[in-house]
Amino acid sequence: MEIEHYNLEMIKPETAIEMLAKNGIKMDREEAKKVLELLYFLVKLSVNQIVDTENSKI
């Protein structure tokens, strides 16, 4: 089962930049976009693995 309904615009790069800056991490908009893309990919991967594991138990 593949889950495709996530929105890559949920967290704006500007929001990520502000959040990271509060913790001493500085990056530009392009870097923030790449980090967010990676995070969304990892979340999707994790959710798919959980769903697959749950489906295999049925």
Side-chain angles (χ1 to χ4, degrees):
M1 173 182 223
E2 190 164 329
I3 299 173
E4 286 293 334
H5 50 279
Y6 60 93
N7 181 358
L8 290 178
E9 298 297 321
M10 290 175 67
I11 298 176
K12 303 284 184 201
E14 293 77 13
T15 304
I17 291 169
E18 289 174 21
M19 292 169 62
L20 292 168
K22 289 179 183 176
N23 291 291
I25 301 170
K26 305 225 184 302
M27 64 176 54
D28 63 29
R29 190 175 195 287
E30 287 304 311
E31 291 172 321
K33 282 175 64 174
K34 289 177 183 177
V35 168
L36 289 171
E37 287 174 7
L38 175 62
L39 290 174
Y40 285 124
F41 172 78
L42 292 173
V43 167
K44 181 180 175 184
L45 181 65
S46 297
V47 169
N48 283 337
Q49 288 179 341
I50 292 168
V51 170
D52 288 345
T53 301
E54 291 298 317
N55 285 339
S56 68
K57 291 180 183 179
I58 297 176

